């Protein structure tokens, strides 16, 4: 029973970060950074929906910035061929 829980805990918390060459904390900090960027861009989009003259390029620039960030992390990884195309 204990090994079952350990296996599930590994799948939930460590397998994915390890597959990217990171530990749980490193992965979490990176994911939270991306989340914050996306939240700010989402708020800008909501404001843009109400006032179309504001934040006219925010969403596009944010998507491009996040894409470039993920592509460069993949390229700099020890095992880039094993990284998914879209990782968080």
């Amino acid at each position: 029973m204990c090994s079952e829980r350990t296996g599930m805990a590994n799948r939930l918390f460590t397998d994915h970060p390890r597959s990217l060459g990171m530990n749980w904390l490193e992965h979490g900090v990176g994911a939270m950074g991306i989340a914050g960027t996306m939240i700010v861009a989402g708020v800008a989009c909501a404001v843009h929906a109400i006032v179309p003259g504001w934040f006219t390029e925010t969403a596009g620039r944010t998507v491009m910035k996040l894409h470039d960030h993920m592509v460069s992390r993949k390229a700099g990884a020890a095992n880039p061929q094993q990284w998914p195309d879209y990782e968080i």
Side-chain angles (χ1 to χ4, degrees):
M1 184 77 156
C2 186
S3 66
E4 256 181 56
R5 278 188 246 155
T6 302
M8 181 181 291
N10 286 341
R11 281 193 305 279
L12 291 174
F13 296 103
T14 60
D15 286 354
H16 173 64
R18 267 194 206 125
S19 75
L20 302 174
M22 294 184 252
N23 64 37
W24 177 85
L25 182 61
E26 292 167 329
H27 181 270
V29 168
M32 289 302 287
I34 291 170
T37 300
M38 293 173 73
I39 289 168
V40 169
V43 169
C45 285
V47 170
H48 173 74
I50 297 165
V51 184
W54 290 352
F55 306 112
T56 59
E57 298 177 7
T58 303
R61 277 197 313 253
T62 301
V63 168
M64 291 172 60
K65 176 181 147 186
L66 288 172
H67 176 266
D68 291 346
H69 170 73
M70 287 188 251
V71 167
S72 69
R73 284 177 43 127
K74 181 177 180 176
N79 57 349
Q81 67 283 357
Q82 293 179 353
W83 275 45
D85 288 336
Y86 300 96
E87 56 81 25
I88 293 183

